[in-house]
Amino acid sequence: MTIKRIWAGLALGLLLTGGVHAFAANRWAKYEHEMQDPINDPANANVEAEFTFGRMRFRSPRDSRGGRMRWGTDANKSERQFIVALRRLSVIDGKAIEQVVDIGTDEIFDYPFLYAVAAGDWEFTPSEGERLGKFFERGGFLVVDDLHNENEWANFMRGLNLAMPGREYEELSEQDAIFHIVHDLDRSVQISGYNIVYGRPYERGGILPYWRALRDEQGRIVAAAWMDQDLGDAWEWADAPEYPEKLASLAFRFGVNYVTYALTH
């Protein structure tokens, strides 16, 4: 299945669902004003599946009052397009829409895979940090994206240290299973955001790509970071002719590997 066929199918699906929403609200209509790029639900939005993609909702000092919030960067077109690719590029039966999971609620324990964007700007209360720690203890997996430069990394780690006090991160090696569990992938690649269209592969001063992670005491990756990269942009703009198809294809494959790792470890 080529990437072009994936996007042809996606475009057809969106056209077919266009008339539905004159009669029914989108599942996350209440959060759409907080999202950067909300799109209409597909016709199969309410069909249950074995895997649900969880998007973490958190607070940030950079949130707009009454408007867009940092957690909603690239949402929800980004994850919707990734879910289409996940369903077509793997055997994982993914639900057609994401689940918005607020860090301030115990709902996070119902969704063992969470994806957070702009986590370099997040801010946790002690109780939210403790809840995230319990999420990891119960087998949860978090991957964060669109995280750039060491200042953002330090703020991300301040939040994570509330969940895993004293735990050190590592740079994942080329041999780590997460890069080979489905697709054999090269960690030296940088998945750039839309800014690559203007000739700049990096943003906000984060020049070199890193694939970082924190493990639990058993050695399982529980929190992974796509550092100085923006896979969510690659997913979101994969249907844009100007965005490099090679990067979009790789971004989907990295996402498939991380979801598969989360489901099998």
Side-chain angles (χ1 to χ4, degrees), residues 143-253:
V143 60
V144 301
D145 190 18
D146 198 3
L147 180 64
H148 307 270
N149 71 61
E150 292 303 325
N151 288 333
E152 290 187 15
W153 178 260
N155 192 64
F156 161 71
M157 284 299 296
R158 275 192 288 272
L160 208 60
N161 281 335
L162 291 175
M164 305 178 71
R167 184 71 61 181
E168 298 292 332
Y169 74 89
E170 65 179 87
E171 307 287 353
L172 293 176
S173 73
E174 190 74 38
Q175 290 73 40
D176 199 279
I178 207 165
F179 297 123
H180 305 285
I181 193 165
V182 179
H183 304 285
D184 287 315
L185 298 170
D186 179 359
R187 63 181 293 279
S188 67
V189 69
Q190 183 172 42
I191 308 296
S192 304
Y194 189 79
N195 45 283
I196 190 68
V197 172
Y198 304 107
R200 192 177 63 191
Y202 60 88
E203 56 187 296
R204 303 203 295 277
I207 297 175
L208 298 176
Y210 297 98
W211 307 86
R212 294 176 173 173
L214 285 83
R215 299 181 189 268
D216 63 15
E217 293 180 354
Q218 288 70 48
R220 179 180 68 96
I221 295 174
V222 295
W226 296 329
M227 174 72 177
D228 294 332
Q229 310 193 69
D230 196 343
L231 279 73
D233 251 23
W235 299 344
E236 180 184 9
W237 296 104
D239 56 349
E242 67 273 20
Y243 187 85
E245 180 184 335
K246 178 181 179 180
L247 291 184
S249 297
L250 284 172
F252 287 132
R253 285 165 171 77

Side-chain angles (χ1 to χ4, degrees), residues 37-38 46 52 67 80 88 101 109-110 116 130 207 214 240 258:
D37 196 3
N46 295 320
T52 299
R80 297 284 174 90
R88 298 193 180 189
V101 183
F109 301 123
D110 297 328
E130 182 181 0
I207 297 175
L214 285 83
Y258 276 63

Side-chain angles (χ1 to χ4, degrees), residues 1-263:
M1 182 68 70
T2 67
I3 197 72
K4 292 180 179 178
R5 288 183 180 270
I6 289 173
W7 298 122
L10 173 62
L12 177 60
L14 293 177
L15 287 172
L16 291 175
T17 59
V20 173
H21 301 288
F23 306 98
N26 290 330
R27 172 69 178 87
W28 301 112
K30 65 180 179 180
Y31 292 143
E32 286 184 355
H33 68 284
E34 299 178 0
M35 298 178 178
Q36 181 180 10
D37 196 3
I39 61 175
N40 283 340
D41 292 351
N44 59 342
N46 295 320
V47 177
E48 294 303 322
E50 66 179 357
F51 169 75
T52 299
F53 185 103
R55 163 76 81 131
M56 181 190 285
R57 182 174 182 260
F58 58 84
R59 259 59 61 187
S60 168
R62 294 187 60 194
D63 290 340
S64 299
R65 185 169 299 177
R68 256 191 61 194
M69 296 177 65
R70 291 296 288 153
W71 76 266
T73 302
D74 302 330
N76 53 4
K77 183 185 175 188
S78 172
E79 52 262 51
R80 297 284 174 90
Q81 300 210 135
F82 172 69
I83 292 166
V84 171
L86 177 70
R87 290 165 65 100
R88 298 193 180 189
L89 297 176
S90 76
V91 297
I92 296 171
D93 177 26
K95 188 171 181 178
I97 65 169
E98 74 291 344
Q99 178 74 22
V100 176
V101 183
D102 196 298
I103 185 61
T105 73
D106 287 344
E107 190 178 25
I108 69 169
F109 301 123
D110 297 328
Y111 299 95
F113 176 92
L114 291 180
Y115 171 72
V117 181
D121 295 323
W122 70 13
E123 187 173 77
F124 288 166
T125 65
S127 64
E128 289 170 345
E130 182 181 0
R131 182 178 290 106
L132 184 60
K134 291 180 179 177
F135 169 80
F136 293 141
E137 290 173 4
R138 298 181 187 184
F141 179 94
L142 168 70
V143 60
V144 301
D145 190 18
D146 198 3
L147 180 64
H148 307 270
N149 71 61
E150 292 303 325
N151 288 333
E152 290 187 15
W153 178 260
N155 192 64
F156 161 71
M157 284 299 296
R158 275 192 288 272
L160 208 60
N161 281 335
L162 291 175
M164 305 178 71
R167 184 71 61 181
E168 298 292 332
Y169 74 89
E170 65 179 87
E171 307 287 353
L172 293 176
S173 73
E174 190 74 38
Q175 290 73 40
D176 199 279
I178 207 165
F179 297 123
H180 305 285
I181 193 165
V182 179
H183 304 285
D184 287 315
L185 298 170
D186 179 359
R187 63 181 293 279
S188 67
V189 69
Q190 183 172 42
I191 308 296
S192 304
Y194 189 79
N195 45 283
I196 190 68
V197 172
Y198 304 107
R200 192 177 63 191
Y202 60 88
E203 56 187 296
R204 303 203 295 277
I207 297 175
L208 298 176
Y210 297 98
W211 307 86
R212 294 176 173 173
L214 285 83
R215 299 181 189 268
D216 63 15
E217 293 180 354
Q218 288 70 48
R220 179 180 68 96
I221 295 174
V222 295
W226 296 329
M227 174 72 177
D228 294 332
Q229 310 193 69
D230 196 343
L231 279 73
D233 251 23
W235 299 344
E236 180 184 9
W237 296 104
D239 56 349
E242 67 273 20
Y243 187 85
E245 180 184 335
K246 178 181 179 180
L247 291 184
S249 297
L250 284 172
F252 287 132
R253 285 165 171 77
F254 275 109
V256 168
N257 273 25
Y258 276 63
V259 168
T260 304
Y261 180 94
L263 294 177

